[in-house]
Amino acid sequence: MDAYGDLVPVDHDAETPLWLQLANILRTQIQSGQLQPGRIMPSETTLMQEHGLARGTVRKAIDALVDEGLVNKVQGRGTFVRASSS
Amino acid sequence: MDAYGDLVPVDHDAETPLWLQLANILRTQIQSGQLQPGRIMPSETTLMQEHGLARGTVRKAIDALVDEGLVNKVQGRGTFVRASSS
DNA sequence: GAGAATTTGTACGTATGTATG
DNA sequence: ACATACATACGTACAAATTCT
């Protein structure tokens, strides 16, 4: 029942930090159109569960995407994929 | 023996988040020349002790200054005031 | 409007890893 | 080898904003 798009688990033994791995996964999903402009992004809780990561790790990954201008967060609502670019 | 420049304690009851209060304090010290370009910034441990804050809170404050381009961090060495600007 | 549920924000604490001196 | 300093990652608790019932 796992949705496709979740077939890239993070690797706890890799050199790349877990938060970066997750950021990379999410960025790819955005750029590939799996996560479309306008709404969503799974909630922090969902991402924690799906990837087996702590809250802080998930937040750091998302914050990186915010810094890149790919998403924006709204307290009480969620994290949204930005309209933008090409 | 407290150095001047430490006379602005954070306020746990203020609306402004502690990490932002600390970032504001440090930014002021940089812009006023109390923290001069080239080297330094007290270590995270020092800032924790001087301001009575947790590590994560101190790091978030400093990360904000990094994003502003005011300082840069080097693992194993410390956090440095950037040469820069005006 | 009241209240519960959801979701992000802040803040704390702890442990271990990595880089530098 | 050792000490210092930043980096990563875990966990917990409560606050604030929004949404849904």
Side-chain angles (χ1 to χ4, degrees), chain B residues 12 17-19 52-55 57 60 75-77:
Chain B
H12 283 257
L18 296 174
W19 68 264
L53 297 173
R55 181 95 190 275
T57 305
K60 178 148 183 167
Q75 184 176 0
R77 297 224 282 144

Side-chain angles (χ1 to χ4, degrees), chain A residues 51-81:
Chain A
H51 297 274
L53 297 173
R55 176 105 188 273
T57 305
V58 170
R59 285 180 62 81
K60 178 147 182 166
I62 295 177
D63 285 347
L65 300 181
V66 171
D67 289 344
E68 295 174 19
L70 285 177
V71 304
N72 69 310
K73 304 196 283 187
V74 182
Q75 185 176 358
R77 299 225 282 144
T79 301
F80 304 82
V81 180

